[in-house]
């Protein structure tokens, strides 16, 4: 506490080494970081304000990010990133939220800022307890999470104990390659989200949005797309799980869908097991316009499982050591490029501040 203000901070730093298998895989050691600070205080007996800042030093790893087999999305040096995960921006969130109690058990809120997250999709993967020790981003990241850093967002909503309804105006274009600064701010896209929380253990959401020209390389060929998502989240004791579905409908173009199922089980105070399964229909694996498989959609699955061992370093600091192995299922047409049975492995050390 600092006067009437309540200050909070949490974050993490990953040190990871990954070996992504097959002819299109790569090996790399890299560091990921995220830090978040919040300051909140009452404005009156029925109103509150919260200021939020979230930052990352991921730009230090370079524009091409880290290898992640079958991932696609965004660009580096003007070229599409394929089989890699782009780094996060330095500024991940810079926003404020004001809440006002408008009736017994009912609260209205307004959220927004130059950098934030619109009401679209489930919580981003780095914030999900079910992905607590998943070093790699989902290969379905750009179906579910790509709007979690948006340069320009305003959200209005209302919530009760069990229901929350939100509407957002935001910038549809994904962040550019210059990860250290701010992108131009626009409000050219919209989204709606409904969340149902019947108990402390369950949360469910459905959302839909229209994103204006989200992908830089599609240009006029991808004026906009509609995105629809649904997800179910469960948490009880040491078990956290997520099941999510998304479809993005390019205008004009195909509808591409994705599924993600993931879970983390804290067996006891020291040991955790985790797993993720994904099924993605992706048409961006061959960005070269002259390639015979350019723009061809392929349905690819990834299955990953791992283990983490936690070492307490203080009241609020934990070091986790662990690793994971991933296998894939794909059409035979991809065998000449990815190999018949690629296998990927990752080892990590994660230093966490806060719970």
């Amino acid at each position: 506490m600092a006067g009437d203000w309540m200050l909070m901070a949490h974050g993490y730093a990953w040190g990871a080494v990954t070996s992504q298998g097959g002819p299109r895989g790569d090996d790399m050691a890299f560091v990921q970081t995220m830090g978040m600070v919040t300051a909140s205080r009452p404005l009156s007996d029925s109103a509150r304000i919260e200021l939020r800042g979230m930052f990352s030093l991921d730009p230090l790893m370079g524009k091409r990010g880290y290898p992640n087999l079958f991932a696609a999305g965004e660009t580096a040096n003007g070229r599409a990133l394929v089989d890699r995960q782009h780094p996060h921006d330095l500024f991940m969130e810079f926003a404020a939220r004001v809440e006002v109690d408008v009736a017994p058990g009912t609260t209205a809120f307004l959220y927004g800022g130059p950098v934030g997250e619109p009401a679209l999709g489930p919580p981003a993967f780095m914030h999900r307890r079910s992905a607590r020790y998943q070093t790699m981003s989902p290969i379905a990241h750009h179906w579910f999470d790509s709007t979690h850093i948006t340069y320009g967002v305003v959200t209005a909503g209302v919530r009760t104990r069990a229901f929350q309804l939100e509407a957002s105006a935001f910038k549809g274009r994904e962040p550019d390659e210059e990860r250290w600064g701010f992108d131009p701010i626009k409000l050219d896209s919209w989204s709606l989200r409904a969340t149902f929380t019947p108990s402390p253990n369950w949360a469910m959401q459905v959302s839909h949005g229209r994103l204006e020209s989200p992908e830089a390389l599609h240009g006029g060929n991808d004026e906009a797309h509609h995105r629809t998502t649904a997800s179910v989240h469960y948490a009880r004791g040491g078990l956290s799980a997520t099941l999510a579905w998304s479809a993005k409908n390019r205008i004009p173009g195909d509808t591409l869908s994705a599924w993600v199922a993931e879970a983390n089980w804290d067996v006891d105070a020291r040991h955790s097991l985790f797993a993720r399964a994904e099924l993605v229909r992706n048409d961006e694996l061959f960005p070269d316009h002259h390639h015979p498989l350019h723009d061809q959609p392929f349905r690819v699955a990834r299955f990953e499982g791992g283990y983490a061992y936690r070492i307490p370093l203080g009241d609020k600091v934990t070091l986790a050591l662990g690793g994971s192995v991933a296998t894939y299922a794909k059409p035979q047409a991809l065998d000449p490029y990815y190999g018949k049975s690629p296998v990927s492995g990752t080892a990590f050390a994660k230093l966490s501040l806060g719970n």
Side-chain angles (χ1 to χ4, degrees), residues 69-70 139 276-278 300-305 324-330 341-345:
L69 208 60
F70 291 106
I139 60 175
R276 177 188 283 154
E278 303 180 69
V300 177
R302 180 171 80 171
F303 308 94
E304 186 171 12
S324 63
V325 175
T327 61
Y328 309 85
K330 54 182 174 45
S341 301
V343 176
S344 300

Side-chain angles (χ1 to χ4, degrees), residues 4-349:
D4 292 333
W5 289 93
M6 181 173 68
L7 309 178
M8 295 184 291
H10 73 273
Y12 59 71
W14 295 85
V17 178
T18 189
S19 178
Q20 299 288 294
R24 291 182 64 164
D26 196 4
D27 301 338
M28 184 176 174
F30 59 94
V31 175
Q32 296 183 80
T33 59
M34 187 275 288
M36 186 171 184
V37 292
T38 63
S40 57
R41 61 163 293 167
L43 296 175
S44 68
D45 291 341
S46 60
R48 298 160 297 281
I49 186 172
E50 182 179 73
L51 308 178
R52 300 179 180 180
M54 184 162 52
F55 312 94
S56 174
L57 294 179
D58 283 8
L60 291 172
M61 74 173 70
K63 290 185 177 181
R64 299 186 68 236
Y66 60 83
N68 191 6
L69 208 60
F70 291 106
E74 300 200 15
T75 63
N77 302 312
R79 299 174 61 87
L81 279 174
V82 181
D83 302 312
R84 301 190 72 90
Q85 166 61 27
H86 60 81
H88 288 118
D89 285 33
L90 169 64
F91 299 102
M92 299 177 71
E93 186 178 29
F94 203 63
R97 177 183 172 110
V98 176
E99 295 187 346
V100 179
D101 300 329
V102 294
T106 303
T107 298
F109 60 88
L110 183 66
Y111 164 87
V115 190
E117 181 177 10
L120 182 60
F125 67 90
M126 73 286 301
H127 298 308
R128 295 197 296 262
R129 186 78 171 189
S130 55
R132 184 181 187 184
Y133 295 118
Q134 291 279 358
T135 313
M136 317 298 287
S137 70
I139 60 175
H141 170 55
H142 284 265
W143 278 254
F144 295 97
D145 309 316
S146 63
T147 56
H148 78 99
I149 300 177
T150 299
Y151 283 92
V153 59
V154 177
T155 300
V158 61
R159 64 177 172 85
T160 65
R161 184 197 65 80
F163 293 96
Q164 179 168 281
L165 300 175
E166 305 165 90
S168 294
F170 63 98
K171 182 179 180 179
R173 175 62 61 91
E174 295 168 350
D176 63 25
E177 298 179 20
E178 301 305 320
R179 305 289 178 178
W180 292 106
F182 284 88
D183 291 8
I185 294 172
K186 293 182 180 180
L187 298 177
D188 57 12
S189 304
W190 59 264
S191 66
L192 301 170
R193 181 166 62 191
T195 304
F196 177 45
T197 310
S199 77
N201 305 114
W202 290 94
M204 310 164 197
Q205 70 84 30
V206 293
S207 56
H208 179 79
R210 183 187 188 278
L211 287 74
E212 183 68 26
S213 190
E215 300 173 21
L217 289 182
H218 283 269
N221 207 23
D222 186 25
E223 293 294 335
H225 79 231
H226 288 270
R227 183 180 301 173
T228 305
T229 81
S231 61
V232 178
H233 310 266
Y234 175 79
R236 190 183 188 108
L239 177 64
S240 301
T242 294
L243 175 64
W245 167 87
S246 178
K248 56 182 182 181
N249 177 17
R250 290 197 179 123
I251 306 171
D254 293 336
T255 297
L256 304 172
S257 62
W259 289 87
V260 171
E262 64 188 20
N264 183 90
W265 179 30
D266 294 337
V267 181
D268 56 29
R270 293 295 183 101
H271 305 276
S272 292
L273 300 174
F274 57 91
R276 177 188 283 154
E278 303 180 69
L279 182 63
V280 178
R281 187 169 182 257
N282 194 341
D283 64 356
E284 297 182 323
L285 297 177
F286 299 93
D288 184 351
H289 288 259
H290 302 291
H291 197 284
L293 299 181
H294 175 68
D295 275 354
Q296 291 295 310
F298 294 97
R299 195 168 293 281
V300 177
R302 180 171 80 171
F303 308 94
E304 186 171 12
Y307 165 79
Y309 179 75
R310 282 186 300 282
I311 305 170
L313 300 180
D315 185 38
K316 294 295 183 182
V317 180
T318 303
L319 176 65
L321 306 175
S324 63
V325 175
T327 61
Y328 309 85
K330 54 182 174 45
Q332 288 186 348
L334 296 180
D335 287 359
Y337 309 98
Y338 286 91
K340 187 174 182 179
S341 301
V343 176
S344 300
T346 303
F348 67 82

